[in-house]
Amino acid sequence: MYRVLVFGMTENPGGVESVIMNYYRCIDKTKIQFDFLCNFHEDAAYEDELTAMGGNVFHITARSENYGKYKKELKAFFKDSQGTYDAIWVNVCSLANIDYLIMAKKYGIPRRIIHSHNSQNMDSKLRGMLHERNKKRIDKFATDFWTCSEDAAKWFYEDRLLPKVVMIRNSISVDRMAFDEEKRRNYRKKLHCDERTWVIGNVGRLHFQKNQKFCLDIFQHFLKKYPNACLVLIGQGEDETDLKMLTARYGISEKVYFAGKQTDICGWLSAFDTFLFPSKFEGLPIAALEAQANGVPMLASAKVIPQEVKINSNFVFLDLDEGAEVWSEHLSQMQKTAKRLDVSEVKQNFTEKGYNIETETVKLEKLFLKDVR
């Protein structure tokens, strides 16, 4: 049995967590088994499912909470588990903290994989400086270099390492995200919406990266033409209070639904008529893939979201510089012309583009087992 220690799960069922889960659900567990190291003490996203599939979940103190305790617990974990793991797979959005790889090397884990999931610093200036420092020395500790997109690789790794970087697509299960008519009715009922209501949705951490403020700017223009519309924001984050204050200032609080953290993303996507995704930067966003797997038309920011994210024909790119009013006009056009795609067409598109989890998991298994005789 090839055992992999995975770092990257948090308490939030976000994009990185979804990528890990999609592969873990499909991987051949008679050959490869995952365990999970988490730097927090609350339950991890999907923890019950992780343990049900045979994975062990280990919790240590966060570095930001108590640095001394974190270092002590981190060292103890790697020392106590010496000889247990064939690989460590570190899934992160920056190189600000590479302690897990340093400890993995010190205590003899032979394969040490670093996996880039973002294309820009989304944290503090200090963490950005730490990222740049560790970027210069990451190959002293990591043996394998993975990325979710070309843009993420270019930001994460120095040019000298790019020839070694392996693309691991943020693949998903189309079947798990496929449109569900019954769920559509149930969730729209929860929103007090009938089929005459145009429901616009966004899924993501409430954070400046995801640009939900711009969603509100666009939506207030859209309401002038379509007063029966509704905007649903799914996720939690540090911008939540400011966003709610902005909806009140615009006088649209009754039209905006803050759904918070949700697990049945398929159900919510099925309720949407358009997916609005004006992020300021992304690696390769899982939310955009899940929405397309559901077949829902999407309007997304050009130049900052990688071109390879576009899988379906009803996906439209638009420059953020065009402004909220122009985005609103495009939403109006999509309301009239863009239709949800049938699941058979969606599945064909995902397979052709390499984002179908069933086929991509086979490639991941071969990568893990490449040196196993």
Side-chain angles (χ1 to χ4, degrees), residues 146-160:
W146 293 359
T147 188
C148 64
S149 72
E150 290 183 11
D151 288 346
K154 289 173 184 174
W155 178 68
F156 219 76
Y157 303 113
E158 291 197 316
D159 290 348
R160 63 188 173 81

Side-chain angles (χ1 to χ4, degrees), residues 51-91:
T51 55
M53 290 191 288
N56 297 304
V57 183
F58 303 100
H59 295 268
I60 63 170
T61 299
R63 183 168 76 163
S64 58
E65 183 181 320
N66 186 323
Y67 183 72
K69 192 174 181 185
Y70 154 79
K71 290 292 283 188
K72 184 178 179 181
E73 292 176 1
L74 183 69
K75 182 178 179 179
F77 173 83
F78 279 96
K79 187 176 181 180
D80 292 346
S81 61
Q82 199 165 4
T84 303
Y85 297 106
D86 301 287
I88 183 171
W89 179 20
V90 178
N91 296 267

Side-chain angles (χ1 to χ4, degrees), residues 174-175 177-181 291-297 311-314 338-350:
V174 175
D175 292 335
M177 287 294 155
F179 174 73
D180 188 310
E181 183 65 53
Q292 288 183 90
N294 191 266
V296 64
I311 295 171
N312 292 338
S313 58
N314 60 355
K339 306 298 181 186
R340 180 178 253 108
L341 299 188
D342 178 79
V343 66
S344 60
E345 182 178 351
V346 169
K347 202 159 194 175
Q348 182 179 343
N349 293 344
F350 270 73

Side-chain angles (χ1 to χ4, degrees), residues 16 21 88 181 211 274 287 370:
V16 174
M21 286 304 299
I88 183 171
E181 183 65 53
N211 209 12
T274 314
K370 66 179 182 178

Side-chain angles (χ1 to χ4, degrees), residues 89 96 166 218 245 251 269 295 307 332 356:
W89 179 20
V166 176
I218 297 163
M245 288 173 63
L269 291 171
Q307 283 286 329
S332 299
N356 190 335

